[in-house]
């Protein structure tokens, strides 16, 4: 019983570090264009490569960085998206769920 407090403190520190590192690793995962959800939304990591015939909604200047769903800074190379939990999208990317940031 003498070690219970010491063990608790050590395990708490290890647990906190594990959670912090796990969150950082998950935040770094990028969405692949071949991901089923990404493919269904027509996601492209480079908005200039969007098939304009297939996605008539696309307009020049639209990209993830200025989308309301993008969770990073507007000029960030990558950031989170509320459609792809735990993964990042390219700031210069685009998908059919694009909604202009107000």
């Amino acid at each position: 019983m003498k070690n219970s407090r010491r063990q608790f403190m050590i395990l708490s520190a290890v647990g906190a570090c594990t959670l912090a590192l796990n969150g950082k690793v998950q935040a770094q995962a990028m969405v692949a264009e071949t991901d089923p959800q990404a493919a269904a939304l027509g996601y492209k990591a480079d908005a200039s490569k969007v098939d304009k015939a297939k996605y008539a909604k696309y307009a020049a200047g639209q990209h993830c960085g200025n989308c309301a769903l993008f969770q990073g800074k507007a000029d960030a190379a990558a950031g989170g998206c509320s459609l792809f939990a735990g993964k990042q999208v390219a700031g210069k990317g685009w998908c059919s769920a694009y909604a202009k940031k107000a």
Side-chain angles (χ1 to χ4, degrees):
M1 291 291 187
K2 292 181 182 181
N3 290 332
S4 64
R5 183 172 182 196
R6 180 177 293 171
Q7 289 174 336
F8 173 77
M9 296 301 286
I10 291 171
L11 291 176
S12 294
V14 170
C17 290
T18 302
L19 287 174
L21 291 174
N22 188 30
K24 195 169 195 171
V25 168
Q26 285 181 353
Q28 293 174 349
M30 294 293 290
V31 172
E33 292 180 5
T34 56
D35 179 270
Q37 183 178 359
L41 291 169
Y43 172 76
K44 293 289 181 189
D46 183 356
S48 68
K49 296 180 180 176
V50 172
D51 182 354
K52 293 160 189 76
K54 188 173 181 181
Y55 298 102
K57 179 183 171 186
Y58 173 76
Q62 293 180 346
H63 56 83
C64 293
N66 62 20
C67 177
L69 302 171
F70 190 67
Q71 298 169 343
K73 292 183 180 180
D75 60 346
C81 175
S82 58
L83 297 176
F84 304 103
K87 294 184 181 179
Q88 290 190 339
V89 294
K92 300 290 182 191
W94 183 88
C95 82
S96 63
Y98 174 85
K100 186 174 182 173
K101 192 176 282 187

